[in-house]
């Protein structure tokens, strides 16, 4: 029995040694793979890795970045004790991400790096706006080693200043913004797929291409399926159905084979390459729990893309820990199935181990340790100290307040531009006002995975004065569609065209509520034009016009034909039901056949009738049209009155109706010409708008408004200076003196000296006269003031307080007027010599006098 036990122990020891050897080999292989991958990912793209973080200037950072407060030192001790206990309890798990170095090389606990902040931008009040801003504003830097957390974690302020960071930097900044907006958000340290960690979206469909499927009501589907038993049966098809079936079968097989080949190739291209580090790649993201801000269920946010993901997403392969600004939790659940089976109830002590607890209960004893060793060398003070550690509260964040200027928030992307590659698509983003045409986003859709053959281009615009929002260009059909916001000059809503040349196929949609005619849509090509209306008082909803070819003489019922205009052949109008009129008097459709001089009227159906009343008018012949009055005959009108036994109607009402229709036909032709002119005007306006795009600036954008104001003032001053110069050039100050002396264009020296002397004498006389006038006014004002003072001294005892106050007011006004005149006189005396010398210099340089006065 003893020998058997010895043999069993030897076998167990051998098995242990083999397992240890295998573990060592596995760890060596893993270390080799880690080193290989880290070298590959660090050394190849230097521009992706960014600049050297050790070279940044940290001298201007606050003292909280460079030192730890006593409370933070205490927290680091608690974290070290927690990590020691965690390593003892879970020796197989990787070390926790607890206190990395910050940008100043100081250890900081990860929870204190989170700084909840609410910024004054409405877009950042919601989680999707925060996620979109972070993903656009920052540039991604991969981890130096893909299977280990980073050794440093920068503050959100430094991350924002340099606009780059790792997934941990992204997550801390995003979590800070979400907490400030009131969400229950947490930073997550976990594992993800290579596609998730490396920001590879080339196998994903662009979110802008995911269109929700339209859901039709059930009765609509039933109406589609239900056959109409009253429809006219088509003529019998005499072609062999068997042959058609065989041909269709062959085509279907060929098409299926081609699609299968393409599908297999696409599937192979869509499949991600096998990853040797699957399940080991470290990634950080944000967890948002339900409850606050009316969030119905938990979800993840990938900070690299700003997209939300379900907690069941297969790209998230496991979680090590989560933290926010209050505490730190370690995941104690199995992650073999990724995050699908995880319970995100952080208050559950079995699923999540909390680092800081408000309860003062002592630490749990380590398994396998003896009680004697547990209590040896300890006293009650140590246990009390551990209880204090567990009830320790998180110190405030050491990060400075997060601030983003309006210009930085508007610019978003690094250098104002960002490019994202998707499956068969490329998305480009620009900051507002960066492009002169207002372009902020462009999506290019390709037909192949290599993105070489363009299928469609979509462009988004902002701040354009022509209100253009979106432009879609289909490269296969060469069809362009433009969408406009309300406020365009013509109320334009959408414009679909192949060319801006007139009389080509196009569709224009309008905001009918801002148009007087209620026009909703206008469809036009070379031969037809159809207009759709809404909300009109005459109940018109459709007008269809057919045009003939140019060059052929088409009679237009007495109107003059424009040789350049398309001749009108037919005008058809459709009306909605007017409940105030009887059905057999309410016109549903009227057709003016201009070429054949016919008018067809069709009325609405009456209740319980299957036929509608009709009237057909045939106008007078060519020889009778020259008459001033229409002669009505029974042959000119054919009527059908539904439900009436009368065979003939009186001619007088028909005659009046024909007169009204003839007049309306003339007005309709004019309206058609106005519609054609409006189309040409819109096309010309759109060409001008595209050739010189103007961007508008909001009144609330103080920075850009100030720039615009300065530009406007500079332009205004320049125009005023040019105008003053032109006025000075237009004013010839020597003309009166040249005319007075009868001198010509060419002057002699004596004449030039005489003109110079006359001009200077006249100017001196004007200056003296002006000074004399000011002196005379000053003397008069002083004399009046002295008289008033003398009168006031003589009559002061008999004045009432009101009269005395009014008199003193007059005296003060007179004194002020005399003071102003004194200043003006002094100024005139000082400036007069300067003006005189300036005129002398101007005369000396005048081209007509310069030849003789240059040496004077």
């Amino acid at each position: 029995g003893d020998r058997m036990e010895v043999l069993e122990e030897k076998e167990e020891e051998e098995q242990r040694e083999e397992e240890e050897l295998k573990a060592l080999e596995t760890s060596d292989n893993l270390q080799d793979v880690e080193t290989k991958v880290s070298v590959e990912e660090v050394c190849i793209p230097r521009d992706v890795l960014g600049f050297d973080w050790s070279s940044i200037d940290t001298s201007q950072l606050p003292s909280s970045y460079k030192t730890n407060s006593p409370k933070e030192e205490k927290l680091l001790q608690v974290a070290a004790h927690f990590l020691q206990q965690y390593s003892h309890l879970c020796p197989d798990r990787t070390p926790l991400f607890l206190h990395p170095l910050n940008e100043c090389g100081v250890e900081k606990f990860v929870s204190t790096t989170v700084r909840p902040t609410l910024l004054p931008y409405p877009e950042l009040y919601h989680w999707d706006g925060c996620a979109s801003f972070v993903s656009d504003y920052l540039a991604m830097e991969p981890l130096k080693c893909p299977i280990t957390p980073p050794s440093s974690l920068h503050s959100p302020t430094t991350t924002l200043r340099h606009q780059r960071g790792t997934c941990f930097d992204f997550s801390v900044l995003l979590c800070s913004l979400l907490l400030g907006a009131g969400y229950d958000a947490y930073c997550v340290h976990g594992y993800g797929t290579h596609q998730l960690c490396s920001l590879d979206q080339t196998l994903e469909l662009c979110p802008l291409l995911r269109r929700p499927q339209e859901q039709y009501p059930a009765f609509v589907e039933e109406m589609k399926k239900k056959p109409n038993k009253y429809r006219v049966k088509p003529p019998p098809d005499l072609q062999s159905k068997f042959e058609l079936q065989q041909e269709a079968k062959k085509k279907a097989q060929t098409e299926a084979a081609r699609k299968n080949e393409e599908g297999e190739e696409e599937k192979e291209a869509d499949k991600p390459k096998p990853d040797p580090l699957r399940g080991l790649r470290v990634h950080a993201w944000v967890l948002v729990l339900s409850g606050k801000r009316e969030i119905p269920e938990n979800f993840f946010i990938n900070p690299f893309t700003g997209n939300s993901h379900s907690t069941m997403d297969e790209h998230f392969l496991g979680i090590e820990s989560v933290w926010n600004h209050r505490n730190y939790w370690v995941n104690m659940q199995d992650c073999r199935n990724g995050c699908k089976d995880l319970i995100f109830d952080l208050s559950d002590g079995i699923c999540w181990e909390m680092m800081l607890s408000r309860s003062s209960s002592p630490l749990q004893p380590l398994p396998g340790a003896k009680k004697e060793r547990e209590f040896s060398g300890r006293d009650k003070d140590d246990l009390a100290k551990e209880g204090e550690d567990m009830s320790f509260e998180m110190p405030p964040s050491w990060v400075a307040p997060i601030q983003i200027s309006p210009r930085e928030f508007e610019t978003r992307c690094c250098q104002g531009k960002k490019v994202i590659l998707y499956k068969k698509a490329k998305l480009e983003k620009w900051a507002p006002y960066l492009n002169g045409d207002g372009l902020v986003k462009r999506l290019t859709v390709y037909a192949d995975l290599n993105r070489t053959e363009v299928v469609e281009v979509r462009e988004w615009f902002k701040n354009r004065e022509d209100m253009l929002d979106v432009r879609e260009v289909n490269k296969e059909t060469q069809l362009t569609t433009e969408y406009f916001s309300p406020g365009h000059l013509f109320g334009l809503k959408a414009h679909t065209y192949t060319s801006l040349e007139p009389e080509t196929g196009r569709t224009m949609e309008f905001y009918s509520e801002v148009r007087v005619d209620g026009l909703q849509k206008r469809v036009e090509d070379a031969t037809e034009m159809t207009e759709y209306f809404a909300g009109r008082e005459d109940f018109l909803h459709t007008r269809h016009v057919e045009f003939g070819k140019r060059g052929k003489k088409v009679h237009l019922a007495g109107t003059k034909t424009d040789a350049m205009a398309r001749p009108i052949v037919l005008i058809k109008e459709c009306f909605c039901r007017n409940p105030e009129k009887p059905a057999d008097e309410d016109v549903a459709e009227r057709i003016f056949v201009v070429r054949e001089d016919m008018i067809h009227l069709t009325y609405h159906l009456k209740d319980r009738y299957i036929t509608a009343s009709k009237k057909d008018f045939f106008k007078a012949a060519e020889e009778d049209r020259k008459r001033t009055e229409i002669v009505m005959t029974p042959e000119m009108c054919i009527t059908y009155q539904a439900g009436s036994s009368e065979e003939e109607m009186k001619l007088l009402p028909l005659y009046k109706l024909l007169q009204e229709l003839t007049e309306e036909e003339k007005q309709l032709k004019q309206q058609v010409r106005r519609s054609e002119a409006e189309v040409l005007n819109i096309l010309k306006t759109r060409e001008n708008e595209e050739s010189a795009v103007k961007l508008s600036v909001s009144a609330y954008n103080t920075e850009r408004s100030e720039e615009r104001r300065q530009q406007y003032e500079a332009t205004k001053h320049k125009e005023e200076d040019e105008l003053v110069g032109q006025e000075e050039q237009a004013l010839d100050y020597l003309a009166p003196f040249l005319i007075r002396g009868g001198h010509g264009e060419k002057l002699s020296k004596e004449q030039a000296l005489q003109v110079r002397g006359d001009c200077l004498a006249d100017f001196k006389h004007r200056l003296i006269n002006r000074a004399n006038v000011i002196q005379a006014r000053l003397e008069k004002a002083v004399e009046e003031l002295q008289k008033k003072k003398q009168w006031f001294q003589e009559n002061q005892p008999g004045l009432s307080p009101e009269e005395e106050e009014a008199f003193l007011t007059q005296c003060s006004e007179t004194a002020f007027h005399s003071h102003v005149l004194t200043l003006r006189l002094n100024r005139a005396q000082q400036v007069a010599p300067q003006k005189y010398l300036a005129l002398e210099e101007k005369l000396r340089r005048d081209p007509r006098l310069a030849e003789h006065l240059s040496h004077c």
Side-chain angles (χ1 to χ4, degrees):
D2 295 337
R3 187 177 292 177
M4 290 294 294
E5 290 179 0
V6 172
L7 291 174
E8 288 178 358
E9 288 179 359
K10 287 184 178 180
E11 289 179 359
E12 289 178 359
E13 288 179 0
E14 291 177 356
Q15 289 179 359
R16 288 175 185 173
E17 290 177 357
E18 290 180 0
E19 290 178 357
E20 289 177 359
L21 289 173
K22 289 180 180 179
L24 288 173
E25 291 176 359
T26 305
S27 62
D28 291 340
N29 294 334
L30 183 59
Q31 189 174 3
D32 293 341
V33 173
E34 175 184 343
T35 305
K36 182 180 178 181
V37 175
S38 63
V39 169
E40 288 178 356
E41 295 198 3
V42 170
C43 296
I44 296 176
R46 181 63 184 171
D47 56 338
V48 174
L49 292 173
F51 59 93
D52 185 10
W53 283 99
S54 61
S55 63
I56 65 174
D57 182 17
T58 59
S59 60
Q60 302 298 326
L61 294 177
S63 59
S64 60
Y65 286 62
K66 303 172 185 178
T67 58
N68 283 322
S69 65
K71 208 168 184 181
E72 287 179 316
E73 292 289 349
K74 178 68 174 177
L75 177 62
L76 292 177
Q77 295 176 7
V78 173
H81 185 73
F82 180 80
L83 182 59
Q84 181 182 4
Q85 189 179 27
Y86 170 79
S87 301
H88 185 84
L89 292 171
C90 308
D92 298 333
R93 294 183 63 171
T94 57
L96 295 175
F97 187 68
L98 287 174
H99 41 74
L101 302 176
N102 67 352
E103 54 266 37
C104 296
V106 181
E107 285 189 354
K108 295 288 185 178
F109 192 71
V110 290
S111 294
T112 60
T113 310
V114 179
R115 172 86 185 229
T117 303
L118 179 63
L119 294 172
Y121 302 106
E123 186 178 346
L124 300 184
Y125 297 165
H126 306 280
W127 73 264
D128 50 350
C130 296
S132 175
F133 170 76
V134 172
S135 63
D136 289 343
Y137 192 79
L138 303 181
M140 184 271 283
E141 286 188 351
L143 298 174
K144 292 184 178 180
C145 180
I147 62 176
T148 57
S151 59
S152 62
L153 180 64
H154 306 114
S155 65
T157 54
T158 301
T159 303
L160 284 172
R161 184 166 62 251
H162 297 286
Q163 288 190 262
R164 59 185 64 244
T166 63
C167 53
F168 287 84
D169 299 323
F170 273 67
S171 300
V172 169
L173 175 59
L174 178 57
C175 187
S176 301
L177 297 179
L178 293 175
L179 289 171
Y183 291 94
D184 191 10
Y186 303 84
C187 298
V188 181
H189 164 213
Y191 304 94
T193 60
H194 178 63
Q195 184 179 355
L196 186 71
C197 300
S198 60
L199 190 55
D200 183 9
Q201 303 180 77
T202 55
L203 300 181
E204 296 181 9
L205 186 65
C206 179
L208 297 174
L209 296 176
R210 298 171 189 166
R211 296 179 179 177
Q213 297 181 352
E214 296 181 358
Q215 297 179 356
Y216 295 96
F219 70 89
V220 176
E221 299 293 336
E222 292 178 1
M223 290 293 292
K224 289 180 180 179
K225 295 179 182 178
K226 187 176 179 180
N228 186 4
K229 63 181 179 179
Y230 295 107
R231 66 178 182 180
V232 179
K233 293 182 180 181
D237 188 6
L238 303 179
Q239 193 173 1
S240 174
K241 294 183 178 180
F242 178 75
E243 293 179 356
L244 293 176
Q245 290 177 358
Q246 294 299 320
E247 292 179 1
K249 192 180 292 185
K250 288 181 181 178
K251 288 182 180 179
Q253 291 176 354
T254 306
E255 187 70 19
R258 185 180 63 81
K259 285 184 178 179
N260 287 335
E261 291 178 359
E262 293 179 356
E264 290 177 359
E265 293 177 358
E266 194 167 322
K267 285 180 181 178
E268 290 179 359
D270 287 349
K271 288 181 180 179
K273 297 178 181 179
D275 185 12
L277 298 180
R278 179 176 174 81
L280 300 176
R281 291 185 180 273
V282 175
H283 190 56
W285 62 90
V286 174
L287 165 66
V288 180
L289 296 183
S290 60
K292 291 187 177 180
R293 292 293 304 267
E294 300 180 358
I295 298 297
E297 59 182 7
N298 309 328
F299 65 93
F300 295 146
I301 301 177
N302 183 11
F304 282 164
T305 62
N307 298 331
S308 63
H309 300 266
S310 169
T311 55
M312 311 283 287
D313 197 312
E314 296 180 353
H315 289 92
F316 300 90
L317 303 179
I319 293 178
E320 285 286 350
S321 59
V322 301
W323 68 90
N324 63 1
H325 64 300
R326 297 185 184 277
N327 214 329
Y328 189 95
W329 294 265
V330 180
N331 178 31
M332 306 303 295
Q333 304 171 71
D334 189 4
C335 295
R336 293 179 182 176
N337 296 327
C339 301
K340 296 179 181 178
D341 303 329
L342 296 186
I343 299 173
F344 291 98
D345 182 8
L346 300 182
S347 62
D348 189 346
I350 298 176
C351 299
W352 297 90
E353 186 67 32
M354 185 186 304
M355 195 187 84
L356 299 181
S357 175
R358 294 188 178 182
S359 63
S360 59
S361 58
L363 292 174
Q364 297 295 328
L366 299 177
K370 295 181 180 180
K371 287 188 177 181
E372 291 83 5
R373 183 176 294 180
E374 178 75 22
F375 290 99
S376 61
R378 289 193 180 186
D379 54 8
K380 295 181 180 180
D381 294 337
D382 294 335
L383 294 178
K385 188 177 180 181
E386 291 180 4
E388 290 177 2
D389 291 346
M390 293 299 293
S391 61
F392 182 78
E393 291 187 358
M394 191 71 65
S397 177
W398 54 272
V399 179
I402 300 174
Q403 297 178 351
I404 302 173
S405 66
R407 175 58 68 90
E408 292 172 345
F409 182 76
E410 183 186 80
T411 305
R412 293 290 185 93
C413 313
C414 187
Q415 297 181 353
K417 182 180 180 182
K418 186 174 183 179
V419 180
I420 307 174
L421 299 179
Y422 292 99
K423 177 184 176 182
K424 297 184 179 180
K426 181 176 70 172
L427 181 62
E428 301 168 273
K429 295 181 180 180
W430 291 272
Y433 300 102
L434 184 65
N435 295 321
D437 58 353
L439 181 66
V440 295
K441 190 163 52 177
R442 178 192 292 145
L443 175 65
T444 308
V445 183
Y446 300 89
D448 56 338
L449 294 172
N450 296 327
R451 291 182 289 274
T452 57
E453 184 181 351
V454 180
V455 176
E456 184 181 2
V457 178
R458 300 182 193 174
E459 296 176 333
W460 285 262
F461 301 87
K462 275 187 178 180
N463 307 312
R464 286 185 55 140
E465 290 190 357
D466 59 2
M467 311 309 292
L468 179 64
D469 272 346
V470 184
R471 179 186 290 129
E472 298 179 357
V473 181
N474 192 321
K475 296 296 183 179
E476 295 179 344
T477 61
Q478 300 300 320
L479 202 64
T480 302
T481 304
E482 297 175 338
Y483 299 93
F484 299 83
S485 296
H488 192 267
L489 178 62
F490 297 95
L492 199 60
K493 184 178 182 180
H495 184 199
T496 304
Y497 60 92
T498 55
S499 172
L500 288 177
E501 293 296 325
E503 300 179 14
T504 55
R506 72 184 67 258
T507 300
M508 294 182 179
E509 297 182 22
F510 302 88
Y511 291 97
S512 58
E513 57 272 10
V514 301
R515 290 185 62 101
V516 179
D517 56 357
L519 181 63
Q520 272 188 328
K521 186 169 68 171
R522 179 183 288 130
V523 182
E524 184 193 21
D525 57 18
T527 59
E528 294 179 343
M529 182 175 66
T530 306
E531 296 175 319
Y532 302 88
F533 303 89
R536 286 178 62 109
E537 295 181 355
D538 57 358
F539 297 91
L540 175 67
H541 67 82
T542 307
R543 179 185 293 138
H544 178 74
V545 183
E546 293 183 5
F547 300 98
K549 295 182 180 180
R550 288 186 177 87
K552 296 183 179 180
K553 293 183 179 180
V554 180
H555 185 62
L556 298 180
T559 60
K560 295 182 179 180
T561 306
D562 188 357
M564 298 300 295
R566 293 175 293 181
I568 301 173
V569 176
L570 180 141
I571 302 176
K572 175 182 177 181
E573 289 187 321
C574 300
F575 299 86
C576 296
R577 180 74 174 90
N578 185 359
E580 297 181 358
K581 291 183 179 181
D584 54 357
E585 296 180 6
D586 187 15
V587 178
E589 179 183 284
R590 64 182 185 183
I591 303 174
F592 298 90
V593 186
V594 180
R595 177 171 294 178
E596 299 179 3
D597 292 331
M598 296 174 57
I599 303 175
H600 302 281
L601 299 181
T602 303
Y603 295 85
H604 285 277
L605 283 172
K606 293 194 294 185
D607 294 339
R608 294 174 295 182
Y609 279 81
I610 62 173
T611 58
S613 301
K614 294 184 179 181
K615 288 186 178 68
D616 295 338
F617 291 93
F618 304 92
K619 294 184 182 179
E622 184 70 25
E623 57 273 8
D624 297 333
R625 191 177 292 135
K626 297 179 181 179
R627 302 176 183 177
T628 56
E629 296 182 359
I630 301 176
V631 179
M632 190 71 184
T633 60
E635 293 79 12
M636 295 175 62
C637 180
I638 300 176
T639 63
Y640 168 72
Q641 193 73 18
S644 176
S645 58
E646 297 182 6
E647 297 182 357
E648 295 183 0
M649 292 184 64
K650 295 182 180 180
L651 294 179
L652 182 58
L654 296 177
Y655 173 76
K656 293 182 178 179
L657 180 59
L658 180 59
Q659 281 186 326
E660 293 176 2
L661 292 174
T662 303
E663 185 63 28
E664 288 182 3
E665 182 179 353
K666 295 179 182 178
Q667 296 178 2
L668 277 178
K669 291 176 183 176
Q670 296 176 1
Q671 180 60 44
V672 171
R673 298 304 180 194
R674 285 195 292 269
S675 298
E676 289 182 293
E678 185 183 37
V679 171
L680 296 177
N681 198 3
I682 291 175
L683 295 180
K684 185 178 180 180
T685 303
R686 288 295 303 130
E687 287 182 356
N688 296 335
E689 290 172 347
E690 288 298 328
S691 61
V693 177
K694 295 181 180 179
L695 301 182
S696 60
V697 178
S698 173
Y700 301 101
N701 192 339
T702 56
E703 187 175 353
R704 293 194 180 277
S705 298
E706 182 67 19
E707 291 179 1
R708 284 287 185 92
R709 187 186 65 79
Q710 292 177 359
Q711 293 175 1
Y712 173 74
E713 288 182 355
T715 306
K716 185 178 179 181
H717 292 329
K718 185 178 179 181
E719 292 178 353
E720 289 178 353
D721 294 341
E722 292 178 354
L723 184 61
V724 170
Q726 292 175 2
E727 290 178 353
E728 290 180 354
Q729 291 177 1
L731 181 63
D732 189 0
Y733 54 92
L734 285 181
F737 306 100
L738 293 173
I739 296 173
R740 187 186 307 168
H743 306 303
E745 295 181 358
K746 198 169 183 180
L747 302 176
S748 63
K749 185 175 182 179
E750 295 179 357
Q751 292 174 343
L753 291 173
Q754 183 182 357
V755 169
R756 173 180 175 274
D758 293 345
C759 183
L760 290 175
D762 184 75
F763 185 66
K764 184 177 180 180
H765 182 67
R766 287 176 58 194
L767 292 176
I768 294 172
N769 285 343
R770 184 181 180 189
N772 292 336
V773 170
I774 297 174
Q775 180 70 31
R777 290 178 180 176
L778 176 61
E779 293 175 355
K780 184 178 179 181
V782 172
E783 185 180 355
E784 288 180 0
L785 182 61
Q786 290 177 353
K787 288 181 179 179
K788 288 181 180 180
K789 287 181 179 179
Q790 184 179 359
W791 181 87
F792 179 70
Q793 291 175 359
E794 294 175 356
N795 302 309
Q796 183 179 7
L799 295 176
S800 63
E802 291 81 5
E803 293 175 344
E804 184 177 352
E805 183 179 359
F807 182 79
L808 292 176
T809 303
Q810 292 179 1
C811 289
S812 62
E813 291 178 354
T814 306
F816 178 75
H817 181 57
S818 62
H819 178 67
V820 171
L821 290 172
T822 303
L823 294 176
R824 290 180 63 186
L825 181 61
N826 294 335
R827 176 65 178 168
Q829 292 175 351
Q830 292 175 1
V831 173
Q834 299 176 4
K835 289 185 177 181
Y836 188 83
L837 294 175
L839 181 61
E840 273 189 333
E841 183 66 20
K842 200 170 185 180
L843 290 172
R844 190 174 65 82
R845 294 183 179 182
D846 190 281
R848 292 166 290 185
L849 308 178
E851 182 180 356
H852 307 289
L853 303 180
S854 58
H855 302 289
C856 294

